[in-house]
């Protein structure tokens, strides 16, 4: 059985659980720095794997101080192969509007349509993110209000909320400027994103070590 503690690394005194979705995004630069939990692709896999891992860590009195989710994302407006922090996240698949609920709002849940992610560090720009179970390409971006899209972050964040663990996120833009027509349209620049995500992790560690990153702000969706 996998020991979930191996996915947790001390960063400047913070115990950080690193979470990714797919091995294609996990290149040599990240491999030299972290051993992330690999959840699998999509919100269901991400929620299940993150929740199970956090439950195991809690059972061993080893809950992390922070979850750091990272990987690729699509965007037709952000810089291709650029790296961005997650400023906020929403769940684009949720639509209970036929029952009178705002589109994107999960009925009877304790969070808004767009959940802010208050934990940021200096030196990397931030952008809004939309999570869902479908690949977004071409005209499908017309229905997306967020700056970038992925398939896991909202699920990771909601699982983390159940254990009151704050989340920070990084995404590298792998596609979106043109229509996706093949697998390689996603993977072509992942090696560049791997290097840039690793550089951003180094910056994060420097900020934590220097005392410029704080977890004193409430986790997204929590009441101060």
């Amino acid at each position: 059985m996998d020991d979930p503690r191996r996915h947790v690394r001390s960063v400047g005194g913070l115990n950080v659980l690193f979470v990714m979705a797919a091995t294609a995004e996990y290149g040599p630069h990240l491999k030299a720095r972290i051993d992330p939990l690999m959840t699998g692709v999509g919100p269901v896999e991400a929620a299940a794997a993150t929740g199970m891992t956090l439950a195991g860590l809690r059972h061993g009195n080893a809950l992390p101080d922070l979850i750091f989710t990272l990987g690729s994302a699509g965007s037709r407006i952000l810089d291709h192969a650029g790296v961005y922090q997650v400023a906020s996240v929403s769940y684009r698949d949720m639509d209970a509007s036929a029952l009178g609920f705002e589109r994107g709002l999960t009925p009877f849940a304790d969070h808004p349509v767009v959940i802010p992610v208050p934990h940021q560090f200096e030196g990397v720009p931030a952008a809004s993110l939309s999570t869902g179970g479908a690949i977004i390409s071409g005209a499908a971006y017309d229905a997306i209000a967020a700056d970038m899209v992925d398939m896991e972050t909202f699920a990771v964040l909601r699982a983390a909320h159940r254990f009151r663990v704050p989340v920070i996120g990084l995404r590298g833009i792998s596609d979106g400027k043109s229509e996706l027509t093949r697998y390689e349209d996603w993977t072509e620049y992942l090696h560049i994103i791997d290097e840039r995500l690793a550089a951003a992790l180094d910056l994060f560690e420097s900020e934590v070590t220097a005392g410029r990153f704080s977890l004193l702000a409430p986790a997204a969706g929590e009441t101060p």
Side-chain angles (χ1 to χ4, degrees), residues 100-127:
F101 294 95
E102 180 182 359
R103 184 170 182 175
L105 183 68
T106 302
F108 318 120
D110 60 350
H111 61 81
V113 171
V114 178
I115 303 177
V117 179
H119 307 295
Q120 308 286 327
F121 61 96
E122 295 294 328
V124 178

Side-chain angles (χ1 to χ4, degrees), residues 79-149:
D79 292 340
H80 195 77
V83 169
Y84 298 85
Q85 294 185 78
V86 178
S88 63
V89 63
S90 55
Y91 184 29
R92 63 179 178 270
D93 290 347
M94 179 55 65
D95 184 4
S97 56
L99 301 180
F101 294 95
E102 180 182 359
R103 184 170 182 175
L105 183 68
T106 302
F108 318 120
D110 60 350
H111 61 81
V113 171
V114 178
I115 303 177
V117 179
H119 307 295
Q120 308 286 327
F121 61 96
E122 295 294 328
V124 178
S128 57
L129 177 66
S130 168
T131 292
I135 296 291
I136 301 298
S137 177
Y141 277 104
D142 293 342
I144 306 296
D147 300 317
M148 52 186 180
V149 296

Side-chain angles (χ1 to χ4, degrees), residues 177-214:
K177 295 295 186 183
S178 58
E179 192 90 27
L180 289 170
T181 60
R182 56 181 187 149
Y183 180 78
E184 290 76 14
D185 292 341
W186 169 53
T187 61
E188 184 175 5
Y189 294 100
L190 290 183
H191 65 290
I192 299 175
I193 290 172
D194 169 60
E195 183 174 2
R196 292 179 176 177
L197 286 173
L201 282 184
D202 290 344
L203 179 58
F204 168 71
E205 184 160 9
S206 296
E207 292 291 295
V208 174
T209 301
R212 292 188 292 266
F213 177 83
S214 174

